[in-house]
Amino acid sequence: MSQERALVLGGGGVAGIAWTTGVLAGLADAGVDVGDPDRLLGTSAGAVVAAQLRLVADLAALYRAQVEPALQNHELTPPPDARAKAFAFGCRLGALDLDPVERRRRMGEMALAAETVPEPERMSVIEARLTPLGAPQPPPAAADTRHPGAQQPPHADPAHPRAGTPHPLPHSHPHPHPLPHPHSLPLPHPHPHSLPHPHSLPHPHSLPLPHPHPHSLPHPHSLPLPHPHPHSLPHAVPGWPPRPLAVVALDAHTGRTRVFDRDSGVRLADAVAASCAVPGVWPPVTIGDRRYIDGGVRSLVNLDLMAEPGRVLVIAPSRDRPLAQDALSAAVHGQITLVTPDGAARAAFGTDPLLPGTRTASARAGYAQGRAAAGSVAELWDGR
């Protein structure tokens, strides 16, 4: 049995993001910090928290960003009844004798036809989630051969309209200094008789002009740019972190499962957005020539995708039938501890966990659960 420690985070809407963050913060405050596992898998809401863990690694700060209204990111309010209609559609499909992949394909078909907010508007929300508390930018990447001297982020997709991220200014060119206004320059005061006669001056058009070598001019990408707050730039998000991270989505056209990681060749923000694209509520996410929907359509946790589980901690805001089956299987091949919402947390989620107003209460409920679960989690995580 592998001794690697794996953290698996499940879906559950905006309330699920807050609750999961609270559980992790409560565990850490109780002396059990599980925020840096050997392997990390996230689905839907869990994909957001997983990415934040790798990017920020400050659970106290992430918790405050969920529980304190002044620090909460802007979230879109889903259309009325959109979640209920999507759920009802899924139930109707579940009653049919369909292959699981075909069932997911039909969910994707419904998602592709649904009227939702524009994709860029939804993407701006996901990008803001991934730049909490001024998260650091990714390191410089290899040069972009499309434009000499330009920099390209890791795994950028040139065909994707959101593929690029701002690159650090190269250090090979000096920053031009701003010139003072001509009227502010001090002028010498020579003696009147030392000035040349006007007729002795050369005509302006006869003055020789310098001919700088083309390579001596600063490249446009070396010009200094203003540095606004990260949330004001829709594409100012970090790239994939170096530590293992995987998020689950589904191809909306085929129903096939797609697990994104740093080797997938897509932006982290696109991968997380795809994992969070609830069918019928939010738009499918375009990556290359494909569109993707929420990985929670396959399973709210996708625990079965964690091969050779070893020691696994599952934090699942919502339970479903696949989770119960996969947990039994994981227990045969390794050790597993499962944390799911208690009565107080379910009350905090309310009737729609996609509503932004559920965050504060859900985060607090998760924090209390995290502290209460610290003993059992420590036995798994630290072998206590």
Side-chain angles (χ1 to χ4, degrees):
M1 182 184 73
S2 171
Q3 291 303 307
E4 284 189 323
R5 298 181 299 187
L7 179 61
V8 180
L9 306 178
V14 173
I17 294 174
W19 176 82
T20 301
T21 304
V23 170
L24 293 167
L27 287 169
D29 279 1
V32 187
D33 191 343
V34 300
D36 188 26
D38 299 308
R39 290 185 291 165
L40 181 55
L41 177 70
T43 298
S44 198
V48 174
V49 180
Q52 290 177 342
L53 275 180
R54 289 304 198 205
L55 296 172
V56 180
D58 184 344
L59 283 168
L62 290 173
Y63 176 67
R64 289 195 301 271
Q66 291 295 328
V67 79
E68 297 181 20
L71 299 179
Q72 291 172 346
N73 283 332
H74 167 69
E75 293 282 348
L76 297 173
T77 299
D81 300 328
R83 176 177 173 271
K85 291 178 181 177
F87 181 78
F89 183 82
C91 289
R92 290 196 297 273
L93 287 181
L96 301 177
D97 185 19
L98 297 174
D99 174 84
V101 176
E102 173 61 17
R103 187 179 298 117
R104 297 167 203 156
R105 188 199 68 77
R106 294 196 187 186
M107 285 294 291
E109 186 176 61
M110 179 272 286
L112 291 168
E115 293 185 6
T116 66
V117 298
E119 191 176 345
E121 184 177 354
R122 172 63 175 167
M123 180 59 68
S124 68
V125 172
I126 302 299
E127 291 176 334
R129 290 176 182 174
L130 299 187
T131 51
L133 314 172
Q137 295 298 299
D144 180 355
T145 56
R146 295 172 296 160
H147 303 289
Q151 298 289 317
Q152 188 173 8
H155 306 302
D157 179 357
H160 195 282
R162 294 186 304 276
T165 57
H167 51 267
L169 297 178
H171 299 291
S172 58
H173 302 290
H175 289 271
H177 298 289
L179 296 175
H181 193 277
H183 294 292
S184 66
L185 297 173
L187 299 176
H189 300 284
H191 191 277
H193 296 292
S194 66
L195 297 174
H197 192 277
H199 295 292
S200 67
L201 295 175
H203 191 275
H205 294 291
S206 68
L207 294 175
L209 297 175
H211 299 282
H213 191 275
H215 296 295
S216 67
L217 296 174
H219 191 276
H221 291 285
S222 69
L223 298 176
L225 299 173
H227 301 284
H229 190 277
H231 292 179
S232 68
L233 290 174
H235 53 283
V237 293
W240 286 90
R243 294 280 286 153
L245 169 64
V247 300
V248 185
L250 298 178
D251 188 314
H253 305 277
T254 66
R256 298 289 181 181
T257 305
R258 181 75 187 271
V259 180
F260 293 106
D261 59 20
R262 65 178 293 108
D263 297 322
S264 298
V266 306
R267 288 198 323 153
L268 174 61
D270 290 339
V272 172
S275 188
C276 296
V278 181
V281 179
W282 306 124
V285 172
T286 304
I287 299 178
D289 62 351
R290 312 300 295 176
R291 300 190 76 191
Y292 293 87
I293 61 172
D294 197 322
V297 172
R298 178 185 187 273
S299 163
L300 288 170
V301 178
N302 289 300
L303 176 58
D304 63 309
L305 297 178
M306 183 62 71
E308 299 181 2
R311 291 180 286 170
V312 183
L313 173 61
V314 177
I315 302 178
S318 299
R319 303 184 65 148
D320 58 6
R321 184 176 301 172
L323 174 58
Q325 298 169 343
D326 295 340
L328 289 174
S329 177
V332 172
H333 301 287
Q335 297 173 273
I336 183 170
T337 296
L338 180 62
V339 180
T340 58
D342 59 13
R346 291 193 296 272
F349 290 4
T351 58
D352 189 350
L354 300 181
L355 294 177
T358 60
R359 283 177 286 182
T360 297
S362 298
R364 287 176 175 160
Y367 181 86
Q369 268 197 266
R371 291 189 64 87
S376 60
V377 172
E379 291 180 9
L380 169 81
W381 209 251
D382 301 327
R384 297 180 188 177

PDB file of all heavy atoms in Angstrom, residues 65-98:
ATOM      1  N   ALA A  65     -11.200  35.092   3.876  1.00  0.00           N
ATOM      2  CA  ALA A  65     -11.767  35.534   2.600  1.00  0.00           C
ATOM      3  C   ALA A  65     -13.136  34.914   2.338  1.00  0.00           C
ATOM      4  O   ALA A  65     -13.872  35.382   1.465  1.00  0.00           O
ATOM      5  CB  ALA A  65     -10.809  35.185   1.456  1.00  0.00           C
ATOM      6  N   GLN A  66     -13.497  33.874   3.066  1.00  0.00           N
ATOM      7  CA  GLN A  66     -14.819  33.269   2.940  1.00  0.00           C
ATOM      8  C   GLN A  66     -15.779  33.764   4.008  1.00  0.00           C
ATOM      9  O   GLN A  66     -16.967  33.942   3.747  1.00  0.00           O
ATOM     10  CB  GLN A  66     -14.714  31.741   3.025  1.00  0.00           C
ATOM     11  CG  GLN A  66     -14.020  31.095   1.839  1.00  0.00           C
ATOM     12  CD  GLN A  66     -14.793  31.274   0.551  1.00  0.00           C
ATOM     13  OE1 GLN A  66     -16.013  31.332   0.535  1.00  0.00           O
ATOM     14  NE2 GLN A  66     -14.063  31.366  -0.558  1.00  0.00           N
ATOM     15  N   VAL A  67     -15.279  33.992   5.211  1.00  0.00           N
ATOM     16  CA  VAL A  67     -16.169  34.274   6.332  1.00  0.00           C
ATOM     17  C   VAL A  67     -16.435  35.768   6.520  1.00  0.00           C
ATOM     18  O   VAL A  67     -17.458  36.148   7.090  1.00  0.00           O
ATOM     19  CB  VAL A  67     -15.602  33.647   7.631  1.00  0.00           C
ATOM     20  CG1 VAL A  67     -14.482  34.501   8.226  1.00  0.00           C
ATOM     21  CG2 VAL A  67     -16.696  33.389   8.646  1.00  0.00           C
ATOM     22  N   GLU A  68     -15.518  36.619   6.062  1.00  0.00           N
ATOM     23  CA  GLU A  68     -15.681  38.061   6.260  1.00  0.00           C
ATOM     24  C   GLU A  68     -16.251  38.690   4.989  1.00  0.00           C
ATOM     25  O   GLU A  68     -15.582  38.696   3.945  1.00  0.00           O
ATOM     26  CB  GLU A  68     -14.345  38.707   6.616  1.00  0.00           C
ATOM     27  CG  GLU A  68     -13.751  38.205   7.932  1.00  0.00           C
ATOM     28  CD  GLU A  68     -12.435  38.872   8.275  1.00  0.00           C
ATOM     29  OE1 GLU A  68     -12.175  39.971   7.723  1.00  0.00           O
ATOM     30  OE2 GLU A  68     -11.661  38.308   9.074  1.00  0.00           O
ATOM     31  N   PRO A  69     -17.453  39.235   5.039  1.00  0.00           N
ATOM     32  CA  PRO A  69     -18.081  39.787   3.828  1.00  0.00           C
ATOM     33  C   PRO A  69     -17.223  40.808   3.096  1.00  0.00           C
ATOM     34  O   PRO A  69     -17.240  40.852   1.861  1.00  0.00           O
ATOM     35  CB  PRO A  69     -19.377  40.412   4.369  1.00  0.00           C
ATOM     36  CG  PRO A  69     -19.695  39.595   5.584  1.00  0.00           C
ATOM     37  CD  PRO A  69     -18.367  39.274   6.209  1.00  0.00           C
ATOM     38  N   ALA A  70     -16.473  41.618   3.828  1.00  0.00           N
ATOM     39  CA  ALA A  70     -15.666  42.652   3.181  1.00  0.00           C
ATOM     40  C   ALA A  70     -14.545  42.058   2.329  1.00  0.00           C
ATOM     41  O   ALA A  70     -14.022  42.735   1.439  1.00  0.00           O
ATOM     42  CB  ALA A  70     -15.076  43.588   4.237  1.00  0.00           C
ATOM     43  N   LEU A  71     -14.148  40.824   2.606  1.00  0.00           N
ATOM     44  CA  LEU A  71     -13.052  40.185   1.874  1.00  0.00           C
ATOM     45  C   LEU A  71     -13.537  39.204   0.813  1.00  0.00           C
ATOM     46  O   LEU A  71     -12.731  38.669   0.053  1.00  0.00           O
ATOM     47  CB  LEU A  71     -12.131  39.442   2.855  1.00  0.00           C
ATOM     48  CG  LEU A  71     -11.435  40.280   3.921  1.00  0.00           C
ATOM     49  CD1 LEU A  71     -10.594  39.386   4.819  1.00  0.00           C
ATOM     50  CD2 LEU A  71     -10.568  41.366   3.275  1.00  0.00           C
ATOM     51  N   GLN A  72     -14.835  38.987   0.751  1.00  0.00           N
ATOM     52  CA  GLN A  72     -15.357  37.997  -0.194  1.00  0.00           C
ATOM     53  C   GLN A  72     -15.300  38.507  -1.631  1.00  0.00           C
ATOM     54  O   GLN A  72     -15.576  39.680  -1.901  1.00  0.00           O
ATOM     55  CB  GLN A  72     -16.797  37.642   0.172  1.00  0.00           C
ATOM     56  CG  GLN A  72     -16.927  36.864   1.477  1.00  0.00           C
ATOM     57  CD  GLN A  72     -18.369  36.697   1.920  1.00  0.00           C
ATOM     58  OE1 GLN A  72     -19.273  37.360   1.409  1.00  0.00           O
ATOM     59  NE2 GLN A  72     -18.598  35.823   2.896  1.00  0.00           N
ATOM     60  N   ASN A  73     -14.934  37.608  -2.557  1.00  0.00           N
ATOM     61  CA  ASN A  73     -14.938  37.947  -3.972  1.00  0.00           C
ATOM     62  C   ASN A  73     -16.367  38.133  -4.475  1.00  0.00           C
ATOM     63  O   ASN A  73     -17.308  37.579  -3.914  1.00  0.00           O
ATOM     64  CB  ASN A  73     -14.281  36.824  -4.786  1.00  0.00           C
ATOM     65  CG  ASN A  73     -12.771  36.838  -4.681  1.00  0.00           C
ATOM     66  OD1 ASN A  73     -12.162  37.880  -4.464  1.00  0.00           O
ATOM     67  ND2 ASN A  73     -12.171  35.671  -4.832  1.00  0.00           N
ATOM     68  N   HIS A  74     -16.472  38.901  -5.545  1.00  0.00           N
ATOM     69  CA  HIS A  74     -17.779  39.052  -6.193  1.00  0.00           C
ATOM     70  C   HIS A  74     -18.171  37.719  -6.827  1.00  0.00           C
ATOM     71  O   HIS A  74     -17.370  37.064  -7.495  1.00  0.00           O
ATOM     72  CB  HIS A  74     -17.720  40.128  -7.265  1.00  0.00           C
ATOM     73  CG  HIS A  74     -18.914  40.140  -8.171  1.00  0.00           C
ATOM     74  ND1 HIS A  74     -20.169  40.512  -7.748  1.00  0.00           N
ATOM     75  CD2 HIS A  74     -19.046  39.780  -9.485  1.00  0.00           C
ATOM     76  CE1 HIS A  74     -21.023  40.403  -8.741  1.00  0.00           C
ATOM     77  NE2 HIS A  74     -20.368  39.965  -9.806  1.00  0.00           N
ATOM     78  N   GLU A  75     -19.392  37.289  -6.599  1.00  0.00           N
ATOM     79  CA  GLU A  75     -19.926  36.069  -7.198  1.00  0.00           C
ATOM     80  C   GLU A  75     -21.226  36.396  -7.929  1.00  0.00           C
ATOM     81  O   GLU A  75     -21.978  37.272  -7.506  1.00  0.00           O
ATOM     82  CB  GLU A  75     -20.204  35.003  -6.130  1.00  0.00           C
ATOM     83  CG  GLU A  75     -18.958  34.454  -5.445  1.00  0.00           C
ATOM     84  CD  GLU A  75     -18.227  33.435  -6.306  1.00  0.00           C
ATOM     85  OE1 GLU A  75     -18.800  32.995  -7.328  1.00  0.00           O
ATOM     86  OE2 GLU A  75     -17.080  33.093  -5.953  1.00  0.00           O
ATOM     87  N   LEU A  76     -21.461  35.699  -9.013  1.00  0.00           N
ATOM     88  CA  LEU A  76     -22.718  35.853  -9.737  1.00  0.00           C
ATOM     89  C   LEU A  76     -23.828  35.086  -9.034  1.00  0.00           C
ATOM     90  O   LEU A  76     -23.594  34.010  -8.470  1.00  0.00           O
ATOM     91  CB  LEU A  76     -22.563  35.313 -11.164  1.00  0.00           C
ATOM     92  CG  LEU A  76     -21.544  36.019 -12.064  1.00  0.00           C
ATOM     93  CD1 LEU A  76     -21.405  35.251 -13.366  1.00  0.00           C
ATOM     94  CD2 LEU A  76     -21.971  37.455 -12.326  1.00  0.00           C
ATOM     95  N   THR A  77     -25.008  35.644  -9.056  1.00  0.00           N
ATOM     96  CA  THR A  77     -26.177  34.940  -8.529  1.00  0.00           C
ATOM     97  C   THR A  77     -26.795  34.130  -9.662  1.00  0.00           C
ATOM     98  O   THR A  77     -27.098  34.682 -10.720  1.00  0.00           O
ATOM     99  CB  THR A  77     -27.211  35.935  -7.966  1.00  0.00           C
ATOM    100  OG1 THR A  77     -26.610  36.670  -6.894  1.00  0.00           O
ATOM    101  CG2 THR A  77     -28.441  35.198  -7.462  1.00  0.00           C
ATOM    102  N   PRO A  78     -26.950  32.831  -9.487  1.00  0.00           N
ATOM    103  CA  PRO A  78     -27.488  32.007 -10.585  1.00  0.00           C
ATOM    104  C   PRO A  78     -28.927  32.383 -10.906  1.00  0.00           C
ATOM    105  O   PRO A  78     -29.653  32.903 -10.055  1.00  0.00           O
ATOM    106  CB  PRO A  78     -27.393  30.583 -10.028  1.00  0.00           C
ATOM    107  CG  PRO A  78     -27.383  30.746  -8.542  1.00  0.00           C
ATOM    108  CD  PRO A  78     -26.676  32.040  -8.274  1.00  0.00           C
ATOM    109  N   PRO A  79     -29.362  32.117 -12.124  1.00  0.00           N
ATOM    110  CA  PRO A  79     -30.756  32.402 -12.489  1.00  0.00           C
ATOM    111  C   PRO A  79     -31.717  31.637 -11.582  1.00  0.00           C
ATOM    112  O   PRO A  79     -31.422  30.523 -11.142  1.00  0.00           O
ATOM    113  CB  PRO A  79     -30.849  31.897 -13.936  1.00  0.00           C
ATOM    114  CG  PRO A  79     -29.438  31.865 -14.423  1.00  0.00           C
ATOM    115  CD  PRO A  79     -28.592  31.563 -13.240  1.00  0.00           C
ATOM    116  N   PRO A  80     -32.862  32.209 -11.274  1.00  0.00           N
ATOM    117  CA  PRO A  80     -33.838  31.517 -10.419  1.00  0.00           C
ATOM    118  C   PRO A  80     -34.226  30.158 -10.992  1.00  0.00           C
ATOM    119  O   PRO A  80     -34.481  30.025 -12.191  1.00  0.00           O
ATOM    120  CB  PRO A  80     -35.040  32.479 -10.406  1.00  0.00           C
ATOM    121  CG  PRO A  80     -34.470  33.817 -10.776  1.00  0.00           C
ATOM    122  CD  PRO A  80     -33.335  33.539 -11.702  1.00  0.00           C
ATOM    123  N   ASP A  81     -34.240  29.173 -10.134  1.00  0.00           N
ATOM    124  CA  ASP A  81     -34.666  27.813 -10.484  1.00  0.00           C
ATOM    125  C   ASP A  81     -33.733  27.096 -11.458  1.00  0.00           C
ATOM    126  O   ASP A  81     -34.033  25.965 -11.876  1.00  0.00           O
ATOM    127  CB  ASP A  81     -36.091  27.809 -11.081  1.00  0.00           C
ATOM    128  CG  ASP A  81     -37.121  28.362 -10.115  1.00  0.00           C
ATOM    129  OD1 ASP A  81     -36.926  28.185  -8.896  1.00  0.00           O
ATOM    130  OD2 ASP A  81     -38.094  28.962 -10.580  1.00  0.00           O
ATOM    131  N   ALA A  82     -32.604  27.710 -11.831  1.00  0.00           N
ATOM    132  CA  ALA A  82     -31.723  27.061 -12.812  1.00  0.00           C
ATOM    133  C   ALA A  82     -31.166  25.760 -12.254  1.00  0.00           C
ATOM    134  O   ALA A  82     -31.133  24.734 -12.951  1.00  0.00           O
ATOM    135  CB  ALA A  82     -30.586  28.004 -13.204  1.00  0.00           C
ATOM    136  N   ARG A  83     -30.753  25.774 -10.996  1.00  0.00           N
ATOM    137  CA  ARG A  83     -30.189  24.562 -10.409  1.00  0.00           C
ATOM    138  C   ARG A  83     -31.271  23.483 -10.283  1.00  0.00           C
ATOM    139  O   ARG A  83     -31.020  22.309 -10.569  1.00  0.00           O
ATOM    140  CB  ARG A  83     -29.586  24.871  -9.047  1.00  0.00           C
ATOM    141  CG  ARG A  83     -29.058  23.647  -8.312  1.00  0.00           C
ATOM    142  CD  ARG A  83     -28.392  24.043  -6.987  1.00  0.00           C
ATOM    143  NE  ARG A  83     -28.040  22.871  -6.204  1.00  0.00           N
ATOM    144  CZ  ARG A  83     -28.841  22.283  -5.333  1.00  0.00           C
ATOM    145  NH1 ARG A  83     -30.073  22.770  -5.139  1.00  0.00           N
ATOM    146  NH2 ARG A  83     -28.445  21.220  -4.654  1.00  0.00           N
ATOM    147  N   ALA A  84     -32.472  23.888  -9.867  1.00  0.00           N
ATOM    148  CA  ALA A  84     -33.550  22.916  -9.708  1.00  0.00           C
ATOM    149  C   ALA A  84     -33.914  22.281 -11.050  1.00  0.00           C
ATOM    150  O   ALA A  84     -34.153  21.064 -11.136  1.00  0.00           O
ATOM    151  CB  ALA A  84     -34.780  23.588  -9.095  1.00  0.00           C
ATOM    152  N   LYS A  85     -33.929  23.075 -12.110  1.00  0.00           N
ATOM    153  CA  LYS A  85     -34.258  22.537 -13.430  1.00  0.00           C
ATOM    154  C   LYS A  85     -33.169  21.579 -13.907  1.00  0.00           C
ATOM    155  O   LYS A  85     -33.459  20.525 -14.489  1.00  0.00           O
ATOM    156  CB  LYS A  85     -34.426  23.682 -14.425  1.00  0.00           C
ATOM    157  CG  LYS A  85     -35.664  24.531 -14.178  1.00  0.00           C
ATOM    158  CD  LYS A  85     -35.744  25.682 -15.167  1.00  0.00           C
ATOM    159  CE  LYS A  85     -36.980  26.551 -14.907  1.00  0.00           C
ATOM    160  NZ  LYS A  85     -37.023  27.716 -15.836  1.00  0.00           N
ATOM    161  N   ALA A  86     -31.906  21.941 -13.662  1.00  0.00           N
ATOM    162  CA  ALA A  86     -30.812  21.065 -14.070  1.00  0.00           C
ATOM    163  C   ALA A  86     -30.862  19.751 -13.297  1.00  0.00           C
ATOM    164  O   ALA A  86     -30.643  18.669 -13.861  1.00  0.00           O
ATOM    165  CB  ALA A  86     -29.478  21.768 -13.844  1.00  0.00           C
ATOM    166  N   PHE A  87     -31.189  19.843 -12.011  1.00  0.00           N
ATOM    167  CA  PHE A  87     -31.281  18.645 -11.180  1.00  0.00           C
ATOM    168  C   PHE A  87     -32.421  17.753 -11.677  1.00  0.00           C
ATOM    169  O   PHE A  87     -32.271  16.524 -11.772  1.00  0.00           O
ATOM    170  CB  PHE A  87     -31.496  19.034  -9.723  1.00  0.00           C
ATOM    171  CG  PHE A  87     -31.574  17.870  -8.779  1.00  0.00           C
ATOM    172  CD1 PHE A  87     -30.423  17.217  -8.366  1.00  0.00           C
ATOM    173  CD2 PHE A  87     -32.799  17.413  -8.312  1.00  0.00           C
ATOM    174  CE1 PHE A  87     -30.487  16.137  -7.507  1.00  0.00           C
ATOM    175  CE2 PHE A  87     -32.882  16.335  -7.439  1.00  0.00           C
ATOM    176  CZ  PHE A  87     -31.711  15.689  -7.038  1.00  0.00           C
ATOM    177  N   ALA A  88     -33.547  18.358 -11.999  1.00  0.00           N
ATOM    178  CA  ALA A  88     -34.692  17.581 -12.489  1.00  0.00           C
ATOM    179  C   ALA A  88     -34.356  16.905 -13.819  1.00  0.00           C
ATOM    180  O   ALA A  88     -34.733  15.747 -14.059  1.00  0.00           O
ATOM    181  CB  ALA A  88     -35.903  18.496 -12.649  1.00  0.00           C
ATOM    182  N   PHE A  89     -33.631  17.623 -14.681  1.00  0.00           N
ATOM    183  CA  PHE A  89     -33.227  17.045 -15.954  1.00  0.00           C
ATOM    184  C   PHE A  89     -32.323  15.838 -15.717  1.00  0.00           C
ATOM    185  O   PHE A  89     -32.470  14.783 -16.365  1.00  0.00           O
ATOM    186  CB  PHE A  89     -32.500  18.089 -16.798  1.00  0.00           C
ATOM    187  CG  PHE A  89     -32.100  17.606 -18.165  1.00  0.00           C
ATOM    188  CD1 PHE A  89     -33.000  17.595 -19.207  1.00  0.00           C
ATOM    189  CD2 PHE A  89     -30.804  17.158 -18.403  1.00  0.00           C
ATOM    190  CE1 PHE A  89     -32.629  17.138 -20.470  1.00  0.00           C
ATOM    191  CE2 PHE A  89     -30.425  16.698 -19.661  1.00  0.00           C
ATOM    192  CZ  PHE A  89     -31.343  16.692 -20.699  1.00  0.00           C
ATOM    193  N   GLY A  90     -31.378  15.984 -14.763  1.00  0.00           N
ATOM    194  CA  GLY A  90     -30.498  14.872 -14.432  1.00  0.00           C
ATOM    195  C   GLY A  90     -31.252  13.675 -13.882  1.00  0.00           C
ATOM    196  O   GLY A  90     -30.925  12.520 -14.186  1.00  0.00           O
ATOM    197  N   CYS A  91     -32.277  13.925 -13.090  1.00  0.00           N
ATOM    198  CA  CYS A  91     -33.088  12.834 -12.539  1.00  0.00           C
ATOM    199  C   CYS A  91     -33.843  12.091 -13.637  1.00  0.00           C
ATOM    200  O   CYS A  91     -33.960  10.853 -13.607  1.00  0.00           O
ATOM    201  CB  CYS A  91     -34.068  13.376 -11.502  1.00  0.00           C
ATOM    202  SG  CYS A  91     -33.275  13.899  -9.962  1.00  0.00           S
ATOM    203  N   ARG A  92     -34.339  12.843 -14.617  1.00  0.00           N
ATOM    204  CA  ARG A  92     -35.036  12.193 -15.735  1.00  0.00           C
ATOM    205  C   ARG A  92     -34.075  11.313 -16.528  1.00  0.00           C
ATOM    206  O   ARG A  92     -34.433  10.201 -16.940  1.00  0.00           O
ATOM    207  CB  ARG A  92     -35.681  13.247 -16.641  1.00  0.00           C
ATOM    208  CG  ARG A  92     -36.868  13.961 -16.015  1.00  0.00           C
ATOM    209  CD  ARG A  92     -37.695  14.689 -17.065  1.00  0.00           C
ATOM    210  NE  ARG A  92     -36.953  15.747 -17.733  1.00  0.00           N
ATOM    211  CZ  ARG A  92     -36.853  16.999 -17.290  1.00  0.00           C
ATOM    212  NH1 ARG A  92     -37.457  17.342 -16.144  1.00  0.00           N
ATOM    213  NH2 ARG A  92     -36.179  17.899 -17.962  1.00  0.00           N
ATOM    214  N   LEU A  93     -32.859  11.785 -16.717  1.00  0.00           N
ATOM    215  CA  LEU A  93     -31.867  10.972 -17.416  1.00  0.00           C
ATOM    216  C   LEU A  93     -31.519   9.734 -16.597  1.00  0.00           C
ATOM    217  O   LEU A  93     -31.329   8.643 -17.145  1.00  0.00           O
ATOM    218  CB  LEU A  93     -30.599  11.785 -17.680  1.00  0.00           C
ATOM    219  CG  LEU A  93     -30.664  12.864 -18.761  1.00  0.00           C
ATOM    220  CD1 LEU A  93     -29.309  13.543 -18.901  1.00  0.00           C
ATOM    221  CD2 LEU A  93     -31.090  12.269 -20.095  1.00  0.00           C
ATOM    222  N   GLY A  94     -31.441   9.923 -15.268  1.00  0.00           N
ATOM    223  CA  GLY A  94     -31.103   8.807 -14.407  1.00  0.00           C
ATOM    224  C   GLY A  94     -32.133   7.695 -14.437  1.00  0.00           C
ATOM    225  O   GLY A  94     -31.812   6.530 -14.171  1.00  0.00           O
ATOM    226  N   ALA A  95     -33.365   8.051 -14.761  1.00  0.00           N
ATOM    227  CA  ALA A  95     -34.430   7.042 -14.810  1.00  0.00           C
ATOM    228  C   ALA A  95     -34.400   6.239 -16.103  1.00  0.00           C
ATOM    229  O   ALA A  95     -35.077   5.215 -16.218  1.00  0.00           O
ATOM    230  CB  ALA A  95     -35.790   7.725 -14.663  1.00  0.00           C
ATOM    231  N   LEU A  96     -33.612   6.708 -17.072  1.00  0.00           N
ATOM    232  CA  LEU A  96     -33.521   5.998 -18.345  1.00  0.00           C
ATOM    233  C   LEU A  96     -32.405   4.962 -18.296  1.00  0.00           C
ATOM    234  O   LEU A  96     -31.423   5.106 -17.555  1.00  0.00           O
ATOM    235  CB  LEU A  96     -33.251   6.992 -19.482  1.00  0.00           C
ATOM    236  CG  LEU A  96     -34.286   8.103 -19.680  1.00  0.00           C
ATOM    237  CD1 LEU A  96     -33.838   9.046 -20.786  1.00  0.00           C
ATOM    238  CD2 LEU A  96     -35.659   7.514 -19.997  1.00  0.00           C
ATOM    239  N   ASP A  97     -32.547   3.934 -19.084  1.00  0.00           N
ATOM    240  CA  ASP A  97     -31.524   2.892 -19.151  1.00  0.00           C
ATOM    241  C   ASP A  97     -30.451   3.322 -20.149  1.00  0.00           C
ATOM    242  O   ASP A  97     -30.452   2.913 -21.313  1.00  0.00           O
ATOM    243  CB  ASP A  97     -32.163   1.560 -19.567  1.00  0.00           C
ATOM    244  CG  ASP A  97     -31.156   0.416 -19.529  1.00  0.00           C
ATOM    245  OD1 ASP A  97     -30.111   0.575 -18.863  1.00  0.00           O
ATOM    246  OD2 ASP A  97     -31.415  -0.625 -20.171  1.00  0.00           O
ATOM    247  N   LEU A  98     -29.559   4.175 -19.664  1.00  0.00           N
ATOM    248  CA  LEU A  98     -28.529   4.742 -20.529  1.00  0.00           C
ATOM    249  C   LEU A  98     -27.146   4.360 -20.034  1.00  0.00           C
ATOM    250  O   LEU A  98     -26.919   4.209 -18.827  1.00  0.00           O
ATOM    251  CB  LEU A  98     -28.636   6.275 -20.573  1.00  0.00           C
ATOM    252  CG  LEU A  98     -29.905   6.884 -21.151  1.00  0.00           C
ATOM    253  CD1 LEU A  98     -29.889   8.395 -20.962  1.00  0.00           C
ATOM    254  CD2 LEU A  98     -30.046   6.535 -22.633  1.00  0.00           C
TER     255      LEU A  98
END
